[in-house]
């Protein structure tokens, strides 16, 4: 068994969604290699940072990504495997890249309670602006709105008469 810790600078961007690990970013690896009967068992963790935009309000975000991986690199033989030992070496790039890209969030947010953008103004919503705004009324229901306004006026007039 051997354990290694090292950092790798990415040559290419990893990920195609609204967040990705950019080229030039450093990936820190902590890897454990174990010899088993079928090949070499590779286990470890990869740490890096992803960048992109919030899926709700479109502000720039940067967040850490940490992923664990484990894979058996089989000795070359008759059976076809996804990962093989080649010349007593294992190539971790595909394994680590796949693990990191699959762990990136599909709909990232800048904060868990992000309200997104106002559909009318395009401004970022906050808790205070959301409480003040009322949702627009569908024009097909405007006749009912007039009836409820008339009922409210009649009730307030009745309450004024009772007080006097």
């Amino acid at each position: 068994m051997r354990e290694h810790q090292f950092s790798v600078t990415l040559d290419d961007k990893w990920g195609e969604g609204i967040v990705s690990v950019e080229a030039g970013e450093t990936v820190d690896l902590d890897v454990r290699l174990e010899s088993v009967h079928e090949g070499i068992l590779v286990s470890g963790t990869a740490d890096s940072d992803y960048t992109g935009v919030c899926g709700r309000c479109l502000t720039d975000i940067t967040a850490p990504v940490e992923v664990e991986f484990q894979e058996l690199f089989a000795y070359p033989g008759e059976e076809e495997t996804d990962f093989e030992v080649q010349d007593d070496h294992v190539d971790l790039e595909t394994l680590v890249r796949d693990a990191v890209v699959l762990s990136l969030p599909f709909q990232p947010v800048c904060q868990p309670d992000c309200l997104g953008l106002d559909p009318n103004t395009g401004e970022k919503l906050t808790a205070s602006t959301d409480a003040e705004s009322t949702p627009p009324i569908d024009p097909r229901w405007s006749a009912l709105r007039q009836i409820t306004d008339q009922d409210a006026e009649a009730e307030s007039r009745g309450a004024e008469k009772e007080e006097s």
Side-chain angles (χ1 to χ4, degrees):
M1 178 188 71
R2 294 184 183 170
E3 293 181 346
H4 297 281
Q5 293 179 342
F6 53 95
S7 297
V8 177
T9 302
L10 300 183
D11 293 331
D12 298 322
K13 177 175 130 176
W14 286 1
E16 296 296 327
I18 57 178
V19 294
S20 60
V21 180
E22 295 296 325
E25 187 70 41
T26 301
V27 178
D28 298 320
L29 295 167
D30 187 5
V31 181
R32 179 178 181 167
L33 307 164
E34 298 177 70
S35 177
V36 294
H37 181 66
E38 297 86 12
I40 298 174
L41 181 64
V42 178
S43 332
T45 60
D47 299 318
S48 190
D49 291 322
Y50 66 82
T51 58
V53 295
C54 175
R56 294 181 188 162
C57 67
L58 304 178
T59 58
D60 293 334
I61 57 173
T62 300
V65 60
E66 180 179 339
V67 64
E68 294 180 0
F69 54 89
Q70 183 173 28
E71 188 65 47
L72 175 66
F73 284 77
Y75 292 123
E78 295 177 13
E79 293 184 27
E80 189 68 28
T81 60
D82 292 338
F83 298 101
E84 287 187 349
V85 177
Q86 297 180 359
D87 299 327
D88 294 331
H89 291 86
V90 293
D91 184 8
L92 299 177
E93 182 181 5
T94 304
L95 172 64
V96 174
R97 181 184 65 234
D98 290 350
V100 168
V101 170
L102 288 173
S103 70
L104 293 175
F106 185 68
Q107 291 292 328
V109 291
C110 56
Q111 54 192 14
D113 59 346
C114 177
L115 299 173
L117 299 176
D118 185 334
N120 296 328
T121 65
E123 299 286 324
K124 183 175 178 177
L125 290 174
T126 60
S128 61
T129 59
D130 187 45
E132 295 171 8
S133 66
T134 58
I137 297 174
D138 189 329
R140 296 172 288 183
W141 296 99
S142 61
L144 292 176
R145 180 65 160 184
Q146 294 171 357
I147 293 171
T148 58
D149 289 343
Q150 291 172 358
D151 289 343
E153 289 175 12
E155 288 177 11
S156 65
R157 277 188 250 129
E160 288 175 8
K161 289 180 182 178
E162 290 177 6
E163 290 177 4
S164 48

